[in-house]
């Protein structure tokens, strides 16, 4: 695999890197040290043949047999001449010799690199008689010159090549003393650069591969599963390689260029398909979910024939139910997931599709429909035909979450484009689409709307929350690209909607009431979906924007999950603190009311999001509001702040991560063997129900898998938001009432 095709990855938000000490431990070895250390006092002496000349090296270790030098060290010592009379000159020279031996044929080439030379005594320069001892001090050079250019000093090690032509290349360093008395006398020795010391113990290395489950799953086909016949082959191996290249300057031996190289494995590790249910489900389901999602996008999706480019079909199902339409909500949530994969570098191939989505939505905005024209409410129309014409049948309309979700998706693409130097395209092409949606949100957020389940006409937590997010992000984007005229209105309406958002909290029941109308308990996946789709890791556990780890959102999650424990047959017998399958809301009667894949995944995703933040901030808070949630995992836990070093933090986060995995395992249990995700599964038999291949189900699988691996979407500005002191919806407030009108007209439409 070339490095160009390696999957890109997202830096982990938590660290599992082992700690290191400055001093080498049992299995580590120091390769170089440039710090001053006590000078060793050992000496090494080498003599010429016949003993007339000695080469003495000082500052060596006591037990050394060859002089050893670190990189850039000074070679120090003395040349001793037994009979100095008649000496003409004394020189000392450091040489590097490169021996290239062609193993099969026995050919040898030797290159000598003269690295440095020093004249210690010369009859013509120095007066008198040559002294019997001449000291020298020569720095070990870090480069050599081939007569023309300087090159870095080659490392000393042998290169063994397998195959033809086989070379053995050895680089040696030596110091030689030359005493000229008419005849040349030499004393020489090899010296060892310190780096050459061979490793006697393996050095452990640690490598963390963190990426989306999808991109890591790409390795799985190469990771054979264990079998009785090949029990040792179950791992995908990772090798740490050292590549040695000997660049022999333009030399040709026997007609072959002599540049030679070798790759040697100096470390090895392995990873394997996780043994747990959840790991193996994710590795199989990720590629299926991604492919299933892409199949439902026109015009080239395998299951979406007839859909225009960039149009997302809700499902290919045409009867019971007929979902072969495009919903603005489903499409925008699906494309938000796609855009996050693109902007985070996980999948650069998605860009064309994103551009097609943007143009398709720009076209749909202009289609007059039963909700109105582009300027008279048509943007609130929930669904269209897949050929981009209006759907004119009766329906629960308008649904005002659509324009908010669509602008959130396109704004995330716009922010990436700006960061990558394409602001002009944002201004000319994206902004006109975003602005229509945001203007609609700014003027209509406080109007009655059908909820995301298309049933209750009132005000809806999910809708208000995504409208608030869209206005905040929209105002920031407008500021960035100089569209300043809209900013103050967006900010005012964002503040107002944030104020109203607080009013959904039910302090008595300790949960978020999903809709202001509808006559139900109000316990609803609506609120959990809100938490994951307005998650902003930068906001910490802020309760004002109901962040996943906020006390209100956690308490709400427990109340919501518990509402499904006794109403589905498949949940019976499951412990009251373990994961169960969850649906839209307990009173649901659509297909008799069943678990939904996207609802059960959303519970896990909220918990993974919470874990990401707790790990990043290094602590978690247990408040009186979230106490019941945390007591599920430790009956004795008390209100307080627990640092990540405490056993309470560790116990709770381990149990919560396990709890989160349990929700994935529930869906895994009821995923058919082909991996297809429909909308629901039967509450008693667990068999898939309702629309097959629901695009939104696939997107919910991809986002929960990513959250489990630590991935977070870019921030949208939720950090530090405060509810205005004049907000009546602020439970801590008590100020005057904010000037907002709600036209609430509650109706329930069941069945489809
Ligand atoms: C029914 C769901 O309740 C709604 O949220 C969704 O938009 C449509 N199906 C299409 O998937
Ligand atoms: C009723 C369902 O409850 C609703 O969610 C769905 O969107 C419509 N029928 C249309 O299928």
């Amino acid at each position: 695999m070339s490095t160009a095709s390696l999957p890109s990855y997202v830096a982990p938000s938590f660290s599992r890197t082992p700690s290191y000490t400055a001093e080498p431990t049992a299995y580590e070895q120091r390769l170089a040290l440039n710090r001053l250390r006590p000078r060793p006092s050992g000496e090494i002496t080498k003599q010429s043949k016949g003993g007339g000349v000695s080469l003495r090296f000082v500052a060596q270790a006591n037990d050394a047999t060859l002089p050893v030098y670190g990189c850039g060290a000074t070679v120090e010592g003395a040349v001793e001449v037994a009979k100095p009379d008649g000496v003409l000159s004394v020189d000392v020279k450091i040489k590097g010799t490169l021996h290239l031996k062609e193993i099969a044929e026995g050919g040898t080439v030797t290159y000598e690199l003269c690295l440095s030379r020093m004249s210690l005594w010369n009859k013509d320069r120095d007066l008198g008689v040559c002294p019997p001892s001449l000291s020298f001090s020569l720095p070990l050079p870090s480069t050599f010159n081939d007569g023309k250019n300087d090159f870095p000093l080659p490392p000393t090690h042998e290169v063994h090549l397998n195959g033809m032509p086989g070379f053995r290349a050895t680089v040696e360093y030596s110091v030689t003393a030359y005493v000229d008395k008419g005849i040349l006398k030499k004393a020489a020795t090899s010296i060892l650069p310190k780096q050459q010391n061979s490793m006697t113990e393996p050095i452990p290395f640690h490598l963390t591969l963190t990426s989306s489950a999808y991109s890591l799953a790409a390795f799985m086909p190469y990771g054979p599963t264990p079998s009785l016949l090949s029990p040792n082959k179950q791992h995908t191996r990772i090798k740490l390689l050292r590549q040695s290249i000997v660049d022999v300057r333009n030399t040709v031996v026997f007609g072959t260029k002599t540049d030679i190289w070798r790759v040697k494995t100096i470390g090895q590790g392995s990873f394997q398909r996780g043994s747990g249910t959840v790991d193996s489900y994710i590795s199989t389901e990720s590629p299926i979910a991604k492919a299933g999602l892409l199949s439902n996008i026109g015009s080239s999706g395998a299951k979406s024939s007839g859909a225009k480019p960039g149009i997302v079909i809700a499902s290919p199902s045409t009867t019971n139910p007929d979902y072969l339409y495009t919903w603005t909500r489903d499409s925008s949530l699906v494309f938000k997931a796609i855009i996050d994969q693109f902007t985070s570098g996980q999948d650069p191939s998605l860009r064309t599709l994103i551009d097609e989505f943007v143009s398709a939505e720009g076209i749909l905005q202009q289609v007059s429909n039963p909700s109105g024209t582009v300027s008279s409410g048509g943007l609130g129309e929930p669904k269209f035909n897949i050929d981009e014409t209006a759907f004119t049948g009766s329906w629960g309309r308008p649904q005002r979450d659509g324009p908010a979700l669509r602008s959130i998706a396109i704004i995330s693409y716009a922010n990436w484009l700006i960061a990558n130097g394409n602001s002009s395209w944002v201004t000319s092409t994206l902004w006109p689409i975003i602005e229509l949606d945001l203007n609609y949100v700014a003027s209509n957020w406080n109007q009655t709307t059908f909820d995301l389940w298309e049933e209750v006409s009132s005000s809806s937590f999910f809708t208000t929350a995504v409208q608030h997010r869209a206005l905040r992000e929209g105002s920031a984007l407008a500021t960035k690209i100089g569209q300043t005229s809209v900013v103050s209105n967006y900010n005012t309406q964002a503040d107002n909607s944030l104020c109203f958002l607080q009013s959904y909290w039910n302090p008595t029941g300790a949960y978020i009431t999903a809709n202001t109308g509808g006559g139900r308990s109000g316990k609803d996946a609506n609120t959990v979906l809100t938490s994951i789709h307005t998650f902003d890791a930068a906001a910490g556990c802020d309760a004002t924007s109901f962040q996943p780890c906020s006390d209100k959102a956690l308490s709400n999650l427990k109340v919501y999950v518990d509402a499904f424990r006794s109403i589905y047959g498949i949940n019976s017998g499951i412990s009251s603190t373990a994961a169960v399958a969850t649906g839209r809301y307990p009173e649901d009667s659509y297909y008799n009311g069943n678990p939904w894949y996207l609802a059960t995944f959303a519970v896990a995703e909220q918990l993974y999001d919470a874990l990401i933040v707790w790990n990043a901030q290094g602590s978690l808070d247990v408040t009186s509001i979230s106490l019941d949630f945390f007591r599920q995992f430790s009956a004795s836990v008390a209100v307080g702040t627990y640092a990540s070093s405490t056993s309470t933090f560790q116990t709770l986060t381990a149990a919560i991560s396990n709890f989160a995995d349990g929700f994935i395992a529930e869906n895994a249990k009821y995923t058919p063997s082909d991996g297809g995700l429909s909308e629901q599964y039967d509450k008693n038999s667990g068999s898939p129900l309702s629309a097959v291949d629901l695009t939104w189900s696939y997107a919910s699988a991809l986002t929960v898998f990513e959250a489990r691996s630590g991935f977070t979407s870019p921030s949208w500005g939720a950090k530090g938001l405060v509810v205005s002191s004049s907000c009546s919806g602020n439970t801590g407030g008590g100020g005057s009432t904010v000037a907002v009108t709600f036209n609430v007209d509650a109706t329930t439409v069941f069945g489809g």
Side-chain angles (χ1 to χ4, degrees):
M1 186 188 283
S2 88
T3 50
S5 63
L6 285 176
S8 52
Y9 68 95
V10 180
S13 58
F14 54 93
S15 165
R16 275 172 296 182
T17 313
S19 55
Y20 291 103
T21 58
E23 286 306 303
T25 59
Y27 295 103
E28 293 172 347
Q29 186 178 16
R30 177 167 283 131
L31 299 182
L33 181 70
N34 295 324
R35 197 164 6 106
L36 279 179
R37 284 198 297 177
R39 192 177 148 95
S41 58
E43 293 193 357
I44 296 171
T45 304
K46 297 283 167 185
Q47 293 198 323
S48 62
K49 271 188 204 142
V53 179
S54 309
L55 183 53
R56 188 158 56 85
F57 297 91
V58 298
Q60 292 297 310
N62 287 326
D63 55 355
T65 50
L66 279 182
V68 177
Y69 295 98
C71 184
T74 304
V75 180
E76 280 180 89
V79 176
E80 274 143 19
V81 188
K83 296 180 183 144
D85 289 351
V87 168
L88 305 174
S89 64
V90 179
D91 292 279
V92 66
K93 194 167 153 184
I94 300 182
K95 281 191 305 187
T97 312
L98 171 68
H99 302 287
L100 266 185
K101 188 165 156 35
E102 209 263 345
I103 294 166
E105 303 294 331
T108 305
V109 191
T110 301
Y111 293 90
E112 202 161 275
L113 320 168
C114 176
L115 300 173
S116 53
R117 184 188 185 111
M118 186 179 183
S119 162
L120 301 184
W121 194 81
N122 188 302
K123 173 174 103 34
D124 300 329
R125 181 191 62 201
D126 306 305
L127 296 177
V129 181
C130 175
S133 177
L134 293 147
S135 52
F136 64 87
S137 169
L138 275 176
L140 197 59
S142 56
T143 58
F144 74 95
N145 189 286
D146 70 346
K148 279 186 255 155
N149 300 306
D150 280 336
F151 295 98
L153 207 54
T156 298
H157 66 270
E158 292 191 347
V159 176
H160 305 265
L161 284 181
N162 299 326
M164 295 299 290
F167 282 98
R168 172 169 298 175
T170 314
V171 185
E172 283 173 357
Y173 297 94
S174 64
V175 181
T176 311
Y178 298 88
V179 177
D180 187 358
K181 255 186 156 185
I183 348 157
L184 206 56
K185 280 203 160 205
K186 296 194 280 187
T189 182
S190 294
I191 57 171
L192 294 177
K194 243 192 190 149
Q195 298 91 312
Q196 195 203 10
N197 292 355
S198 63
M199 294 183 212
T200 50
E201 301 282 3
I203 300 176
F205 67 100
H206 176 92
L207 179 71
T208 306
L209 289 179
T210 305
S211 180
S212 68
Y214 179 74
S215 67
L216 285 180
F219 287 103
M220 297 322 296
Y222 308 108
T225 42
S227 76
L228 276 179
L229 291 177
S230 52
N232 300 324
K233 281 195 168 171
Q234 72 264 44
H235 298 168
T236 298
R237 274 169 300 137
I238 298 170
K239 289 182 168 186
L240 191 61
L241 305 171
R242 178 173 62 210
Q243 185 173 30
S244 313
I245 298 173
V246 177
D247 175 10
V248 185
R249 310 303 303 169
N250 298 325
T251 301
V252 175
V253 175
F254 307 124
T256 309
K257 261 196 102 214
T258 53
D259 287 4
I260 54 178
W261 55 272
R262 175 181 71 136
V263 175
K264 191 176 183 235
T265 304
I266 56 169
Q268 219 177 126
S270 67
F271 68 93
Q272 66 187 117
R273 191 188 286 260
S275 50
T277 326
V278 172
D279 291 304
S280 64
Y281 176 68
I282 291 175
S283 64
T284 340
E285 188 61 27
S286 289
I288 296 174
K290 178 80 175 273
L293 178 149
L294 295 175
S295 288
N296 289 354
I297 304 174
S299 58
S300 48
K303 296 194 174 170
S304 44
S305 83
K308 286 280 171 69
I311 288 289
V312 181
I313 64 166
S315 149
S317 172
T318 50
T319 45
N320 295 324
D322 182 1
Y323 273 23
L324 195 56
Y325 293 95
T326 185
W327 272 260
T328 307
R329 169 181 40 263
D330 298 43
S331 310
S332 302
L333 291 171
V334 163
F335 261 94
K336 177 66 167 64
I338 291 181
I339 292 167
D340 281 351
Q341 285 205 348
F342 171 74
T343 61
S344 64
Q346 289 175 67
D347 186 351
S349 76
L350 295 168
R351 187 162 184 175
T352 311
L353 218 50
I354 297 169
D355 288 332
E356 288 176 353
F357 164 72
V358 173
S359 352
E361 294 302 317
I363 292 168
L364 290 182
Q365 282 185 323
Q366 303 295 329
V367 175
S368 297
N369 59 63
S371 295
T373 67
V374 61
S375 50
S376 66
L379 296 174
E381 180 67 5
K383 73 174 202 183
F384 291 84
N385 295 320
I386 64 172
D387 64 357
E388 297 173 341
T389 60
F391 165 76
T392 52
S394 64
W395 209 253
R397 54 170 68 91
Q399 294 177 23
R400 304 187 199 270
D401 55 339
L405 293 168
R406 177 165 57 201
S407 59
I408 289 170
I410 304 180
I411 288 169
S412 65
Y413 184 39
N415 286 334
W416 180 87
L417 287 164
I418 294 169
N420 288 278
N422 206 346
S423 305
S424 59
W425 200 71
V426 171
T427 307
S428 65
T429 311
L430 302 192
W431 177 250
I433 298 171
I434 296 168
E435 188 186 19
L436 281 176
D437 280 342
L438 292 177
N439 287 346
Y440 175 89
V441 173
S443 355
N444 295 289
W445 70 267
N446 57 354
Q447 300 295 314
T448 299
T449 176
F450 272 87
D451 73 320
L452 80 170
W453 308 134
E454 320 190 282
E455 295 172 340
V456 178
S457 181
S458 67
S459 290
S460 189
F461 180 70
F462 176 84
T463 306
T464 308
V466 296
Q467 289 169 331
H468 166 249
R469 171 175 175 168
L471 292 168
R472 289 277 170 222
E473 279 192 291
S475 137
L477 173 65
T479 307
K480 262 202 263 183
I481 58 171
Q483 301 288 328
T484 45
S485 63
V486 295
V487 170
S488 98
N489 184 39
Y490 290 178
N491 286 345
T492 308
Q493 299 312 325
D495 288 346
N496 290 343
S497 59
L498 181 64
C499 164
F500 181 55
L501 195 65
Q502 311 307 308
S503 70
Y504 293 90
W505 175 248
N506 170 348
T508 319
Y511 66 94
I512 303 158
T513 311
N515 302 304
T516 56
R520 306 175 187 153
S521 62
K523 300 170 187 174
D524 196 313
N526 168 321
T527 59
V528 182
L529 289 164
T530 299
S531 176
I532 62 173
H533 292 301
T534 59
F535 173 43
D536 182 344
C541 297
D542 176 44
T544 309
S545 57
F546 297 90
Q547 288 302 310
C549 57
S550 66
D551 55 2
K552 287 180 176 171
L554 292 173
S555 173
N556 175 70
L557 188 70
K558 179 182 188 304
V559 173
Y560 161 77
V561 169
D562 287 349
F564 296 91
R565 293 190 181 281
S566 60
I567 63 169
Y568 296 157
I570 56 168
N571 289 345
S572 77
I574 296 179
S575 132
S576 63
T577 55
V580 287
T582 65
R584 297 194 298 182
Y585 51 92
E587 301 87 349
D588 198 357
S589 62
Y590 188 41
Y591 283 83
N592 289 328
N594 297 288
W596 282 44
Y597 293 100
L598 67 87
T600 310
F601 276 145
V603 177
E605 188 166 338
Q606 184 186 329
L607 294 165
Y608 294 133
D609 288 348
L611 287 163
I612 290 171
V613 174
W614 290 326
N615 282 317
Q617 70 188 17
S619 69
L620 66 78
D621 283 332
V622 176
T623 73
S624 58
I625 293 176
S626 57
L627 188 60
D628 283 351
F629 167 82
F630 286 107
R631 288 234 162 125
Q632 300 178 100
F633 313 107
S634 163
S636 60
V637 72
V639 168
T641 297
Y642 299 94
S644 56
S645 55
T646 62
S647 64
T648 305
F649 179 97
Q650 285 152 17
T651 307
L652 290 175
T653 52
I656 291 168
S657 148
N658 207 33
F659 185 54
D661 280 0
F663 290 90
I664 295 196
E666 280 301 310
N667 275 350
K669 200 160 150 191
Y670 303 111
T671 298
S673 57
D674 67 1
L677 296 180
S678 56
E679 181 184 71
Q680 318 179 20
Y681 45 96
D682 190 281
K683 61 181 159 197
N684 295 313
S685 70
S687 309
L689 265 185
S690 183
V692 291
D693 292 314
L694 189 83
T695 326
W696 187 0
S697 293
Y698 288 130
S700 73
L702 294 179
T703 58
V704 72
F705 298 162
E706 283 167 358
R708 186 172 186 265
S709 70
F711 174 80
T712 55
S713 300
S715 169
W716 58 269
K719 188 179 175 186
L721 291 177
V722 277
V723 178
S724 117
S725 57
S726 62
C727 173
S728 62
N730 178 1
T731 47
S736 59
T737 309
V738 72
V740 200
T741 315
F742 295 99
N743 302 313
V744 178
D745 172 18
T747 332
T748 301
V749 182
F750 282 111

